[in-house]
């Protein structure tokens, strides 16, 4: 009886639900060419329901909502339009809707094209989320990408590993650091623009997702606008020139469609001195549609990127040389040669099957990615450090001498540095020539050769009008070979593969003498696999939407050493222990619609995830040792939002609270501490972080031609625990001749709680105005203010060991709480003010579109610090205090500096 009653209620609800449906029809046309637009999305903004159009640009919507609603009509390469409609059950015919080409699409290229590690030295990283945000129309996120991004602003202070990038539903984030590698498809703007973005904790049709947001790049040829497009760009940023050509066939009567694209980007020297840029990108995809519901597609992406790297620098070096200075390069035979280059070539091959019906969507994909990621650097052995900014070569070394300031030699050092501030390649060749054929200096690559196989699937079913069920998962397996390879012996005949500080063999079973092209120093493999499976249920009604989602994942990682290191005979060669983590994650969300113009959202998540691979092994180059008591990370996150969609005003305001717990970090540096001096591995465990704040973005259409925007973020990102610090000593340092203790030392906890995280500016505000002329030109200006940007802290200086005098073994007498606090006060970087201008013009000549785009960033040529970090060299109170007394410390914090005024010009022709 109960079952019968329930069934009757459900049926009645469905009948009532169906009685209120409104039929909305129309057709989309390309203004100017007067041809249908087939690849478009129509979204009901109040519920985020999405609909597609047919091959003739026609659409028919059957909407259950009532009252005033907003429709958003969008298509790749076209300006989005919004329509206010009133739903009362009566049919609505919108007729022909003309969409204009959007030349502002070139703003996607109006980014500082930096990716993780490109500005960083080996163990300090700058992480940006700009690439993740290219696909969204959200006002705040656009400002975060195109304006705040110049100062390395991070949305909600999150690293990019907290969001997933997918290509055709297949995850692309790396095992090693959890981040997407945008260089793998860089330069292919025309074929990766078709993107679907879900923000924050929102439900995603392809995976469980992260807390930052998730981007799916759809490269199926049937979804790309047919025709030929040629473009050429000029810039003074990372590259100076770019050529790009793309052809999309469109869907043929046979069911086949294909796309090809190629680009070339180059610079002998970018904005920063000595930073060459050399990139080629190729794309090819073919798709066969069996019918309107079934298709199969094959995609290949081959993008090679080689670029010169630059370095963070102290204020002393900046004052001497300016923001564009880069110590990594020097002239050789009249040409610029950078000792720190990065080269990435990791081809991707994808095979996808898609089933798309009114009731069921199913995606099945396979991907294989292989290739090489290498970074070059100079090695020096029983020879002086070749870095021109090495502390012993700078004036501050003589000013901060323990025997008193020597201003005469400080001035001589200044003059010598200003006369020859670059790397001296000729001197390196000379040193090798005078070293009995043995290399005192050599150029080598740190190489990572990966092979990754991925299979991914997602299944979404519409169970009636109210319920949607989603199931899916993926399996990924990576074999990563890591080694150092001699690239150039710089005139020498061989290199002795010894650790010169301990006089021990790096490879006891190999030859002592190594030559160009041979592996040396270290060689090991990392094998990792991961399985993820999720289920999600979504409920929809006229006044509210809700969802629940859960995911189970399992990850396994193992190191396998190919060298027997003499310093670690027991655990350097062969396979180590397999590290495994099983994780459960949950999230849920609720949306309440006050009406079609105003609604509220609430989302919450509790997630578990394994540490990234780079934070599992303490020193994988030398041994199999893993971080002790390694724990999976947990994330607790809540966000609340209010959305408004009025005819002339759109936007949102959101509040967020996220706590990361049990995170791990590993750092490498040389330290003079109260316990000894050496190159150490610093292992930080039990590290919690708290991110909370408010973000907003609003757009107001003052007229059909003028738009005003306001966006901002008020955040507070802090350490939420006092983590445990452990250091592992290697060997005695080269020039200090101090003997360090052996093995591992537990330093206890570091006093970090409530100090600020170095996650970019934590407060940012932007005001913008744009004008679009009926004569097809437009211009916009944005003024930006960014503040509360802090440098990264040295954890070891905030442990009890910092207070110990290495000469007495006792605490420094004057290391009072007040003196220590003054010495270790966290530095806040200067506030940043930026004005950016963008604009463009388009012409329609016959059947050909011509568009010109131009942008100027940082119009007033402001030089500012985008980030920085404390050096950990001075690991005890006495050393750090003495180094700071002059006001120009030898081991002062190092900073990254902004680009000044930059421009970007692009001319495109579409047939």
């Amino acid at each position: 009886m109960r079952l019968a009653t329930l069934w009757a209620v459900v049926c009645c609800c469905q009948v009532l639900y169906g009685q209120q449906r409104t039929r909305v029809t129309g057709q989309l046309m390309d203004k100017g060419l007067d041809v249908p637009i087939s690849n478009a999305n129509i979204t009901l903004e109040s519920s985020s329901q999405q609909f597609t159009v047919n091959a003739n640009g026609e659409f028919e919507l059957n909407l259950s909502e009532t009252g005033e609603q907003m429709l958003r009509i969008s298509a790749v390469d076209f300006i989005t339009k919004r329509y206010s409609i009133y739903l009362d059950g009566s049919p609505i015919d919108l007729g022909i809707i003309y969409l204009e080409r959007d030349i502002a699409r070139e703003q996607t290229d109006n980014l500082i094209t930096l990716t993780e590690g490109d500005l960083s030295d080996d163990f300090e990283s700058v992480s940006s989320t700009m690439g993740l945000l290219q696909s969204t129309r959200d006002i705040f996120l656009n400002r975060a990408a195109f304006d705040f991004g110049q100062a390395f602003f991070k949305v909600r202070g999150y690293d990019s590993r907290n969001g997933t990038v997918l290509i055709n539903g297949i995850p692309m984030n790396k095992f090693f650091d959890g981040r997407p590698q945008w260089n793998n498809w860089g330069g292919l703007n025309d074929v990766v623009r078709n993107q679907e973005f879900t923000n924050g904790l929102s439900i995603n049709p392809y995976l469980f997702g992260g807390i930052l947001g998730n981007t799916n790049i759809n490269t199926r040829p049937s979804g790309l606008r047919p025709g030929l497009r040629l473009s050429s760009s000029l810039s003074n940023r990372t590259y100076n020139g770019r050529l790009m050509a793309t052809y999309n066939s469109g869907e043929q009567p046979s069911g086949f469609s294909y796309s090809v694209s190629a680009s070339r980007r180059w610079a002998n020297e970018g904005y920063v001195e000595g930073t060459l840029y050399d990139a080629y990108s190729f794309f090819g995809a073919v798709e066969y549609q069996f019918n309107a519901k079934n298709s199969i597609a094959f995609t290949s992406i081959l993008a090679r990127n080689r670029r010169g790297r630059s370095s963070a620098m102290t204020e002393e070096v900046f004052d001497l040389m300016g923001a564009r200075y880069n110590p990594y390069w020097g002239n050789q035979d009249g040409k610029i040669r950078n000792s720190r280059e990065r080269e990435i070539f990791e081809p991707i091959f994808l095979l996808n099957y898609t089933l798309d019906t009114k009731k069921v969507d199913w995606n099945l994909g396979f991907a294989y990615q292989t290739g090489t990621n290498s970074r070059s650097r100079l090695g020096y052995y029983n020879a002086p450090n070749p870095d021109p900014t090495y502390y012993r070569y700078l004036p501050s070394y003589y000013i901060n001498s323990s025997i008193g300031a020597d201003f005469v030699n400080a001035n001589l050092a200044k003059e010598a540095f200003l006369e020859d501030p670059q790397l001296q390649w000729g001197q390196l060749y000379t040193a090798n020539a005078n070293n009995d054929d043995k290399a005192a200096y050599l150029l080598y690559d740190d190489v990572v050769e990966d092979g990754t196989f991925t299979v991914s699937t997602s299944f979404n079913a519409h169970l009636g009008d109210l319920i949607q069920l989603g199931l899916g998962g993926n399996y990924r397996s990576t074999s990563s070979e890591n080694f150092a390879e001699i690239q150039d012996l710089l005139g020498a005949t061989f290199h002795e593969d010894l650790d010169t500080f301990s006089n021990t063999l790096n490879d006891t079973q190999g030859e002592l003498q190594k030559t160009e092209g041979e592996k040396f120093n270290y060689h090991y493999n990392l094998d990792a696999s991961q399985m993820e499976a999720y289920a999600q249920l979504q409920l929809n009604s006229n006044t509210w939407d809700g969802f629940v989602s859960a995911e189970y994942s399992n990850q396994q990682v193992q190191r396998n050493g190919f060298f027997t290191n003499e310093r670690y005979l027991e655990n350097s060669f062969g396979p180590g222990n397999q590290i495994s983590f099983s994780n459960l994650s949950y999230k849920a969300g609720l949306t309440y619609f006050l009406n079609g113009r105003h609604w509220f959202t609430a989302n919450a998540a509790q997630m578990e995830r394994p540490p990234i691979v780079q934070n599992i092994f303490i020193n994988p180059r030398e041994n199999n040792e893993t971080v002790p008591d390694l724990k999976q990370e947990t994330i607790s996150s809540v966000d609340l939002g209010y959305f408004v969609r009025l005819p002339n005003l759109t936007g949102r305001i959101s509040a967020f609270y996220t706590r990361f717990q049990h995170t791990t970090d590993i750092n490498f540096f040389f330290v003079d501490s109260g316990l000894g001096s050496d190159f150490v591995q610093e292992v930080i465990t039990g590290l919690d972080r708290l991110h909370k704040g408010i973000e907003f973005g609003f757009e107001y259409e003052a007229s059909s031609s003028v738009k005003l925007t306001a966006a901002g973020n008020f955040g507070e990102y802090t350490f939420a625990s006092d983590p445990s610090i452990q250091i592992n000593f290697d060997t005695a340092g080269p020039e200090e001749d101090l003997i360090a203790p052996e093995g591992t030392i537990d330093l206890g906890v570091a006093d970090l709680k409530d100090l600020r995280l170095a996650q970019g500016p934590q407060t940012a505000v932007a005001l913008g105005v744009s004008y679009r002329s009926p004569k097809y030109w437009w211009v916009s200006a944005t003024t930006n203010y960014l503040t509360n940007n802090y440098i990264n802290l040295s954890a070891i200086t905030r442990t009890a060991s910092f207070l110990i005098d290495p000469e007495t073994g006792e605490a420094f007498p004057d290391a009072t709480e007040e003196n220590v606090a003054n010495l270790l006060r966290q530095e806040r970087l200067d506030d940043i003010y930026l004005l950016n201008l963008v604009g463009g013009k388009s012409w329609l000549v016959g059947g050909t579109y011509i568009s010109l785009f131009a942008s100027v960033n940082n119009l007033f040529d402001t030089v500012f610090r985008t980030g920085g970090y404390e050096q950990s060299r001075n690991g005890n109170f006495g050393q750090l205090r003495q180094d700071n007394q002059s006001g120009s410390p030898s081991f002062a914090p190092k900073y990254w500096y902004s680009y000044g005024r930059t421009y970007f010009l692009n001319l495109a022709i579409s047939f």
Side-chain angles (χ1 to χ4, degrees):
M1 181 63 184
R2 290 181 179 177
L3 182 61
T5 302
L6 178 61
W7 182 253
V9 170
V10 172
C11 290
C12 289
C13 288
Q14 289 187 342
V15 170
L16 291 173
Y17 187 76
Q19 288 174 347
Q20 298 177 357
R21 286 187 172 277
T22 301
R23 181 171 173 265
V24 182
T25 57
Q27 184 182 22
L28 303 183
M29 301 287 284
D30 184 337
K31 186 175 182 179
L33 292 182
D34 208 29
V35 296
I37 300 173
S38 59
N39 301 313
N41 288 317
I42 301 175
T43 305
L44 186 67
E45 291 188 339
S46 63
S47 64
S48 297
Q49 296 180 69
Q50 288 197 352
F51 308 89
T52 57
V53 301
N54 64 20
N56 295 318
E58 299 167 339
F59 60 88
E60 179 178 330
L61 317 179
N62 290 292
L63 304 177
S64 60
E65 287 74 10
T66 59
E68 190 169 12
Q69 303 287 335
M70 294 297 297
L71 284 182
R72 184 173 72 249
I73 301 173
S74 59
V76 176
D77 300 340
F78 291 89
I79 299 172
T80 297
K81 278 195 172 183
R82 300 173 68 245
Y83 281 87
S84 177
I85 58 177
Y86 190 86
L87 305 180
D88 61 2
S90 303
I92 300 174
D93 185 4
L94 297 176
I96 296 178
I97 299 172
Y98 289 98
L99 298 184
E100 295 180 29
R101 295 293 181 95
D102 185 7
I103 61 171
R105 54 174 276 183
E106 298 303 332
Q107 192 169 1
T108 301
D109 297 309
N110 190 33
L111 295 172
I112 301 175
T113 51
L114 300 171
T115 56
E116 280 71 337
D118 283 329
L119 280 188
S120 66
D121 212 336
D122 298 296
F123 307 116
E124 303 287 343
S125 66
V126 174
S127 173
S128 170
T129 58
M130 291 183 293
L132 187 67
L133 307 176
Q134 292 184 30
S135 60
T136 176
R137 299 274 181 178
D138 182 278
I139 298 119
F140 168 76
L141 295 179
N142 268 272
R143 286 289 173 259
F146 303 126
D147 293 287
F148 301 160
Q150 296 172 72
F152 295 97
F153 174 85
K154 297 182 183 180
V155 174
R156 302 187 178 185
Y158 300 155
D159 287 329
S160 58
R161 67 169 297 211
N162 291 291
T164 304
V165 173
L166 309 96
I167 299 181
N168 298 339
I170 302 174
M172 290 288 127
N173 292 43
K174 296 290 187 179
F175 266 110
F176 182 70
D177 58 12
R179 297 168 179 164
Q181 176 54 264
W182 285 83
N183 278 326
N184 288 156
W185 48 88
L188 297 171
N189 306 59
D190 289 344
V191 290
V192 299
R193 293 185 188 276
N194 193 3
Q195 300 178 12
E196 180 181 353
F197 178 79
T198 54
N199 188 25
L201 298 174
S202 302
I203 194 169
N204 184 287
Y206 301 102
L207 79 169
F208 180 81
I211 60 173
L212 174 60
N214 308 281
T215 299
N216 181 57
I217 302 171
N218 184 353
T219 65
R220 292 168 54 193
S222 62
L224 300 174
R225 184 180 61 82
L228 174 66
R229 185 174 189 271
L230 305 174
S231 70
S232 176
S233 305
L234 295 175
S235 177
N236 67 336
R237 298 173 186 171
T238 52
Y239 58 79
N240 299 147
R242 186 191 71 181
L243 296 173
M244 184 161 54
T246 302
Y247 179 75
N248 303 314
S249 71
E251 186 179 351
Q252 304 296 304
S254 62
F256 278 99
S257 56
Y258 64 90
S259 298
V260 291
S261 184
S263 77
R264 170 85 168 95
R265 293 167 290 162
W266 69 91
N268 290 327
E269 190 174 41
Y271 185 87
V272 177
E273 295 175 355
T275 53
L276 67 88
Y277 198 104
D278 182 23
Y280 299 85
S281 301
F282 302 94
F283 171 92
V286 60
E287 180 180 10
Y288 178 67
Q289 293 181 289
F290 300 94
N291 49 48
K293 300 177 181 179
N294 295 271
S295 71
I296 189 169
F298 175 75
T299 304
S300 61
I301 301 174
L302 296 87
R304 172 190 169 273
N305 185 298
R306 173 175 165 249
R307 64 191 306 176
R309 297 167 62 205
S310 58
S311 172
M313 60 181 123
T314 62
E315 185 175 5
E316 177 185 18
V317 174
F318 169 79
D319 290 340
L320 290 170
M321 297 301 301
R324 294 193 181 192
Y325 174 66
N326 178 16
Y328 288 160
W329 71 276
N331 279 305
Q332 182 178 352
D333 298 328
K335 296 181 180 179
I336 292 174
R337 186 179 186 184
N338 193 318
S339 65
R340 300 285 186 100
E341 292 185 2
R342 185 181 184 187
E343 183 169 358
I344 302 170
F345 182 56
E346 298 177 314
I348 306 171
F349 304 94
L350 307 101
L351 180 65
N352 294 89
Y353 167 75
T354 303
L355 172 66
D356 187 0
T357 71
K358 290 184 178 181
K359 295 293 184 182
V360 172
D361 297 321
W362 180 39
N363 291 279
L364 176 64
F366 303 88
Y368 181 70
Q369 183 173 17
T370 186
T372 301
N373 188 330
S374 64
R375 299 184 184 214
S376 66
R377 62 178 297 144
L378 278 172
Y380 56 101
Y381 307 90
N382 292 321
N385 191 327
D387 182 355
T389 62
Y390 183 54
Y391 79 101
R392 288 177 178 258
Y393 306 153
L394 297 175
S396 60
Y397 173 69
Y398 299 95
I399 294 175
N400 299 317
S401 171
S402 59
I403 60 174
D406 182 351
F407 292 101
V408 173
N409 279 316
N411 190 58
L412 291 174
K414 177 181 177 180
E415 292 176 356
F417 178 74
L418 291 174
E419 184 178 347
D420 255 331
Q422 301 306 144
L423 187 64
Q424 301 299 308
W425 288 101
Q427 293 180 11
L428 306 186
Y429 280 87
T430 300
N432 281 350
N434 297 326
N435 201 41
D436 298 326
D437 294 329
K438 184 172 68 173
Y441 298 96
L442 61 82
L443 188 69
Y444 69 93
D445 285 336
D446 289 311
V447 181
V448 180
E449 291 186 350
D450 283 354
T452 302
F453 172 77
T454 306
V455 57
S456 180
T457 186
S458 61
F459 176 87
N460 295 280
H462 300 268
L463 307 179
D465 294 321
L466 301 176
I467 303 175
Q468 296 180 47
L469 175 66
L471 301 170
N474 62 77
Y475 173 79
R476 292 191 295 158
S477 176
T478 292
S479 179
S480 176
E481 187 178 1
N482 298 256
F483 55 88
E485 182 178 82
I486 299 174
Q487 182 188 126
D488 189 344
L489 285 170
L490 305 179
T493 304
F494 64 90
H495 165 66
E496 286 189 349
D497 195 9
L498 285 169
D499 179 88
T500 55
F501 306 138
S502 61
N503 202 36
T504 55
L505 295 168
N506 295 319
D507 178 16
T508 61
Q509 299 177 9
E511 296 292 332
L512 174 62
Q513 295 184 0
K514 302 290 180 71
T515 57
E516 291 179 5
E518 290 191 281
K519 298 178 178 65
F520 81 111
N521 197 12
Y522 67 91
H523 187 198
Y524 66 93
N525 217 65
L526 287 176
D527 296 309
S529 63
Q530 178 176 281
M531 180 275 291
E532 296 176 330
Y534 71 90
Q536 53 194 24
L537 186 66
Q538 186 172 8
L539 305 175
N540 305 301
S541 77
N542 288 339
T543 57
W544 59 270
D545 289 345
F547 76 89
V548 292
S549 182
E551 180 190 60
Y552 170 79
S553 65
N554 179 270
Q555 179 173 299
Q556 296 181 333
V557 182
Q558 186 177 37
R559 179 190 182 273
N560 186 13
F562 298 139
F563 280 2
T564 301
N565 190 301
E566 190 174 0
R567 297 182 297 285
Y568 301 95
L569 292 173
E570 301 299 323
N571 68 340
S572 56
F573 184 79
N577 295 328
Q578 189 175 75
I579 309 300
S580 181
F581 292 93
S582 294
N583 315 284
L584 284 173
S585 299
Y586 310 92
K587 68 178 179 179
L590 183 67
T591 301
Y592 172 70
F593 302 102
L594 185 64
N595 51 47
R597 293 183 169 186
H598 306 271
W599 65 93
F600 302 87
T601 63
N603 300 299
Q606 181 70 28
M607 303 181 183
E608 296 177 341
R609 66 181 182 187
I612 54 177
V613 172
Q614 71 176 7
N615 288 335
I616 291 177
F617 300 94
I618 295 175
N619 189 5
R621 293 184 175 183
E622 296 185 344
N623 58 65
N624 291 323
E625 193 71 26
T626 60
V627 172
D629 300 321
L630 194 61
K631 295 181 179 179
Q632 60 198 167
E633 300 176 5
T634 61
I635 304 172
S636 305
S637 186
V638 177
D639 68 55
L640 305 173
Y642 161 69
F643 293 76
V644 59
R645 293 292 185 270
L646 302 177
N648 295 324
L649 177 67
T650 63
R652 69 172 171 93
I653 183 169
S654 302
F656 58 91
Y657 177 97
T658 303
R659 187 182 183 99
F660 298 84
Q661 294 177 280
H662 312 305
T663 64
T664 302
D665 194 17
I666 299 177
N667 302 298
F668 301 80
F669 50 83
F670 186 92
V671 65
D672 287 325
S673 73
L675 302 175
S677 302
D678 196 4
F679 287 101
V680 300
Q681 299 98 43
E682 177 188 62
V683 180
I684 304 176
T685 56
L687 179 63
D688 295 356
R689 305 192 309 273
L690 182 62
H691 299 238
K692 58 184 178 181
I694 295 173
E695 62 188 25
F696 66 90
F698 294 95
E699 181 179 76
Y700 175 70
E701 292 191 28
S703 70
S704 59
S705 300
V706 178
K707 287 184 180 180
L708 306 176
T709 60
N713 178 87
F714 299 95
E716 184 177 305
Y717 318 137
T718 59
F719 292 99
S721 69
D722 290 330
S724 299
I725 310 295
Q726 170 187 297
I727 56 174
N728 297 270
F729 285 93
D730 261 1
T731 57
E735 65 260 331
E736 286 72 14
D737 297 324
L738 296 175
I739 302 301
E742 295 182 359
T744 300
I745 296 180
D746 185 354
L747 299 183
V749 299
D751 295 326
L752 296 181
K753 189 175 181 181
D754 297 328
L755 295 174
R756 294 296 187 105
L757 295 167
Q759 297 294 100
Q762 300 189 14
T763 298
V765 179
L767 299 175
V769 58
S770 65
Y771 174 78
R772 185 177 297 273
S773 168
K775 295 184 178 180
Y776 303 105
W777 63 266
W778 68 279
V779 63
S780 70
T782 308
T783 180
N784 306 272
Y785 170 66
L786 302 101
T787 185
N788 291 333
N789 189 7
Y790 295 82
I791 68 172
N792 201 18
L793 298 171
S794 166
I796 196 171
T797 61
R798 288 163 174 85
T799 65
S801 68
F802 179 72
L803 306 178
I804 298 175
D805 186 340
E807 295 183 2
T808 65
E810 303 292 334
F812 288 96
D814 51 352
T816 64
E817 184 175 341
E818 181 181 0
N819 288 342
V820 172
N822 289 333
L823 193 60
L824 297 180
R825 183 176 290 111
Q826 186 175 12
E827 181 181 351
R828 195 186 91 170
L829 299 177
D830 293 338
D831 296 346
I832 300 169
Y833 301 88
L834 291 173
L835 178 63
N836 300 324
L837 302 178
V838 295
K841 177 79 170 77
S842 65
W843 300 266
L844 180 60
V845 182
T848 301
Y849 270 101
I850 303 173
S851 64
L852 177 68
F853 173 87
S855 71
V856 179
N857 280 2
N858 192 359
L859 181 66
F860 297 126
D861 200 23
T862 305
V863 175
F864 55 88
R865 298 167 178 170
T866 60
Y869 61 94
E870 294 178 353
Q871 296 194 69
S872 294
R873 173 66 174 255
N874 291 317
N876 67 69
F877 174 82
Q879 291 266 57
L880 186 59
R881 179 186 56 181
Q882 178 182 324
D883 196 30
N884 279 267
Q885 282 178 344
S886 70
S888 180
S890 296
F891 299 102
K894 287 192 172 184
Y895 306 99
W896 289 281
Y897 288 87
S898 67
Y899 289 177
R901 184 188 303 112
T902 60
Y903 66 87
F904 180 86
L905 299 173
N906 187 81
L907 177 66
I909 303 175
S910 300
F911 302 92

